[in-house]
Amino acid sequence: MSYTIALNFEDGVTRFIGCKEGETVLDAAYRQKVNLPMDCSDGVCGTCKGHCEQGEFDMGDEYLEEALSDEEVAEGQVLTCQMVPSTDCVIQVPVASTLCKTQVGNVEGTVAAVEMLSEDSIELIVDLDGSDGLTFLPGQYVHIDVPGTEVHRSYSFSSLPGGKRAAFLIRNIPNGVMSGYLTERAAVGDRLMLTGPLGSFYLREVSRPVLMLAGGTGLAPFLSMLAQLIDKNCDTPIHMIYGVNKDDHLVKTDALDAFKEALPNFSYSTVVVDDASEHPRKGYVTHHMDAGVLHDGDIDVYLCGPPPMVDAVLKHFDAEGITPQSFHYEKFTPNQVGERA
């Protein structure tokens, strides 16, 4: 028996390690050449402290309260030198990956397909090298080197973790470096280098209703999240509001319909900004967040879209006095990840 442990470092790098049954996270990390912080390894100093965001484990009772207090235990803090997982886990490590003598991973792949979904959106499918695919947390992203250049662009996965085939939903930006490659030069069989996974925007354990807010190609990480929820047989209420600028920018609605069939409590609505649209819901996502989808704040909110959308949602929640139980958002900009999510 082995468990997958995601170690999320404060510089945005995620490393996945395997932890054997009965093995501590610290021992598993060192066995795989990830030098997590430690001094004593006996539960005395507290140097190896981190935060377990999801998963089950046993901490035993061999550590000192000076190293980990009862209050910290209640908050999900752990000592990796004492923590023995009994399921897959996600752990926040409060140092940079470079200080732990690890770094973001690389995987190569081959272009399997490039499809123009609309004037605004391109779908890129990549067949990954190796037998294990690429492990990531649904919602995370990778850097992809642009062939023929010395630059990379960053994109959220729209596919499930661990597969041999990875999918990305990419915004078509006029004169964009990656957009130009995909629309003008890309061919099946082209070689690509992917670096990652990266990012703190990912699906947490679902324990209450979820509201997903997607702007344009910010839909991508939610497709990955919803696919994982099918695998987990999730029956928690989940609602998505998907906003775009024009009617023909609405893409992958067939996939959303399939998720409705597979997830009994998933629903979604679409919104179009364009005044000339005949769409039944016009305006912005903030115009269509009624009380029913907010569950009086007993909700986890995930938001991915361009900066104006993120800022508008934050202001809307503040103005309406809405405080979700948790709020996770990804804001992408043209120079960083505007061709991404």
Side-chain angles (χ1 to χ4, degrees):
M1 177 69 71
S2 179
Y3 305 108
T4 299
I5 310 301
L7 301 172
N8 292 333
F9 297 92
E10 67 177 11
D11 55 357
V13 171
T14 299
R15 269 293 305 273
F16 290 85
I17 61 171
C19 190
K20 299 175 183 177
E21 190 167 14
E23 186 177 33
T24 68
V25 170
L26 184 69
D27 286 345
Y30 271 76
R31 177 169 54 81
Q32 291 158 87
K33 298 181 171 57
V34 180
N35 295 348
L36 292 179
M38 60 86 71
D39 276 336
C40 70
S41 76
D42 294 318
V44 174
C45 67
T47 303
C48 67
K49 191 180 299 180
H51 180 262
C52 185
E53 286 204 321
Q54 60 190 63
E56 298 178 9
F57 56 89
D58 181 22
M59 281 287 294
D61 55 8
E62 298 298 320
Y63 60 89
L64 298 183
E65 187 173 357
E66 287 80 1
L68 188 71
S69 68
D70 291 342
E71 291 78 7
E72 289 173 320
V73 171
E75 294 168 357
Q77 299 290 315
V78 295
L79 300 176
T80 59
C81 74
Q82 302 296 304
M83 178 185 179
V84 176
S86 53
T87 67
D88 296 345
C89 294
V90 178
I91 302 171
Q92 295 287 345
V93 182
V95 297
S97 61
T98 52
L99 297 178
C100 297
K101 296 184 179 180
T102 189
Q103 58 186 1
V104 66
N106 295 310
V107 63
E108 292 188 66
T110 302
V111 173
V114 177
E115 181 180 357
M116 292 293 301
L117 301 179
S118 73
E119 65 172 7
D120 187 61
S121 303
I122 306 168
E123 185 170 50
L124 170 65
I125 307 295
V126 181
D127 285 334
L128 302 173
D129 292 356
S131 58
D132 298 329
L134 181 62
T135 303
F136 58 91
L137 300 171
Q140 288 191 307
Y141 65 92
V142 288
H143 300 317
I144 303 179
D145 291 351
V146 183
T149 76
E150 296 182 355
V151 302
H152 67 258
R153 291 294 182 262
S154 305
Y155 304 101
S156 302
F157 291 93
S158 59
S159 51
L160 264 173
K164 280 280 293 172
R165 175 164 282 192
F168 304 91
L169 187 59
I170 296 171
R171 183 183 172 200
N172 184 17
I173 296 179
N175 301 315
V177 177
M178 180 64 87
S179 298
Y181 163 71
L182 292 174
T183 57
E184 299 168 10
R185 308 189 308 278
V188 172
D190 284 358
R191 298 290 293 168
L192 298 176
M193 174 67 77
L194 289 68
T195 302
L198 297 157
S200 58
F201 182 74
Y202 54 84
L203 182 66
R204 273 67 175 180
E205 194 72 31
V206 175
S207 59
R208 61 178 65 87
V210 173
L211 175 63
M212 298 177 169
L213 304 174
T217 51
L219 176 68
F222 296 118
L223 297 176
S224 180
M225 292 179 184
L226 289 166
Q228 173 120 96
L229 291 174
I230 291 176
D231 276 5
K232 291 181 175 293
N233 297 314
C234 179
D235 60 0
T236 303
I238 300 167
H239 183 68
M240 174 190 290
I241 306 177
Y242 169 30
V244 298
N245 288 326
K246 299 180 180 179
D247 288 342
D248 63 359
H249 292 181
L250 287 169
V251 299
K252 305 300 285 187
T253 54
D254 55 340
L256 295 177
D257 289 338
F259 287 131
K260 282 181 63 177
E261 292 294 323
L263 291 167
N265 288 315
F266 171 66
S267 60
Y268 78 94
S269 58
T270 52
V271 181
V272 177
V273 174
D274 186 5
D275 286 337
S277 169
E278 295 184 359
H279 195 276
R281 288 171 298 278
K282 290 194 288 189
Y284 300 97
V285 296
T286 51
H287 300 153
H288 300 277
M289 286 191 284
D290 58 41
V293 303
L294 293 172
H295 295 270
D296 295 323
D298 184 27
I299 193 169
D300 294 331
V301 177
Y302 293 83
L303 163 63
C304 186
M309 176 186 175
V310 174
D311 294 340
V313 171
L314 291 170
K315 290 178 182 177
H316 177 78
F317 281 172
D318 185 59
E320 297 296 321
I322 300 167
T323 305
Q325 288 293 325
S326 71
F327 188 16
H328 311 280
Y329 62 89
E330 184 89 286
K331 181 190 294 189
F332 53 85
T333 64
N335 289 332
Q336 290 179 299
V337 290
E339 292 184 287
R340 177 178 100 186

